[in-house]
Amino acid sequence: MTAGLRPGPIGTERLSLVPLAVEHAREMAVVLGDPALHAFIGGAPSTEADLRVRYARMVGGSPDPGVAWCNWVLRLGAEGEERAGRAGGAGRAEGVEAVGRAGGVERVRDGERVRDAGGVLVGTVQATVTAAAPGSGPGRGGVAEIAWVVGTPWQGRGFASEAARGLVRWLEVRGVGTVIAHIHPDHHASAAVARACGLTPTTVWHDGEVRWERRVGW
């Protein structure tokens, strides 16, 4: 069921997870522009041009038919933006413009698609899904490695946890049997996100990061 998986819209309480498009590069270059976001992963913020090239490759899909690249941007709805403002959070980063109602996106809640007025982008989530090995048995579907990032102005509001939980539910409905994430041992905020969507740390390390895991139906 995981073979050929393509991202679709996902709705959560405050967010719309919108399948990534090359056109998101302009806004995301601002959202992800804080060098502090690279403290644990290395590198530096990407320019809009760099993101356009990267997003085009990601949207094009994996060259391996047994692997699916699923990527979303996180769009904060008007209601969620208002709540963040009341809670003392930033409404939007400097240079980021809200999308008007004409640019609304599809929202999915309880299996139903509805139109949602547009809002600012606040981050991304992604899943690299590998098909299950032949003969792996029922309930042992594909493996999805997930990751997330939320722009600095919107951190501390639970958006990463909310988005990750929605992503994990979406993956499990589509037959994914194992969800994993690799997290730096000092990245406590990211560990909290993993824990919020049901992942637990393992004894496995990869490139200086701890493997967190959640299995379904085992």
Side-chain angles (χ1 to χ4, degrees):
M1 191 172 181
T2 56
L5 189 64
R6 300 292 295 177
I10 304 171
T12 67
E13 182 181 2
R14 297 172 295 174
L15 301 167
S16 292
L17 279 61
V18 182
L20 180 71
V22 175
E23 292 73 22
H24 291 133
R26 180 179 182 183
E27 191 170 348
M28 290 308 302
V30 178
V31 174
L32 304 178
D34 185 355
L37 293 174
H38 296 263
F40 293 101
I41 61 175
S46 298
T47 66
E48 177 186 344
D50 291 337
L51 286 181
R52 283 186 172 275
V53 172
R54 185 186 309 166
Y55 289 177
R57 184 174 66 252
M58 294 162 71
V59 170
S62 170
D64 184 341
V67 176
W69 292 346
C70 300
N71 296 273
W72 294 261
V73 292
L74 312 180
R75 189 174 294 286
L76 178 60
E79 181 179 352
E81 189 173 351
E82 182 179 351
R83 289 182 186 176
R86 289 200 301 267
R92 61 174 59 92
E94 184 178 354
V96 174
E97 298 180 357
V99 177
R101 291 185 178 273
V105 294
E106 253 189 353
R107 188 180 185 88
V108 178
R109 180 174 293 182
D110 297 330
E112 296 185 3
R113 295 184 178 184
V114 296
R115 295 296 296 177
D116 182 35
V120 296
L121 299 184
V122 300
T124 65
V125 291
Q126 65 184 63
T128 300
V129 185
T130 305
S136 57
R140 302 192 176 189
V143 176
E145 179 167 1
I146 65 173
W148 51 84
V149 62
V150 169
T152 301
W154 299 280
Q155 291 182 2
R157 306 297 167 190
F159 293 138
S161 294
E162 182 176 324
R165 286 195 299 267
L167 172 57
V168 169
R169 287 194 298 268
W170 186 88
L171 290 166
E172 291 179 350
V173 166
R174 284 154 182 81
V176 170
T178 303
V179 179
I180 66 173
H182 289 93
I183 300 173
H184 191 283
D186 295 331
H187 201 331
H188 304 301
S190 204
V193 173
R195 192 172 287 110
C197 54
L199 279 70
T200 56
T202 70
T203 58
V204 179
W205 288 68
H206 178 71
D207 288 342
E209 296 181 322
V210 178
R211 173 174 166 138
W212 289 61
E213 188 173 285
R214 167 176 172 156
R215 297 185 180 186
V216 181
W218 285 53

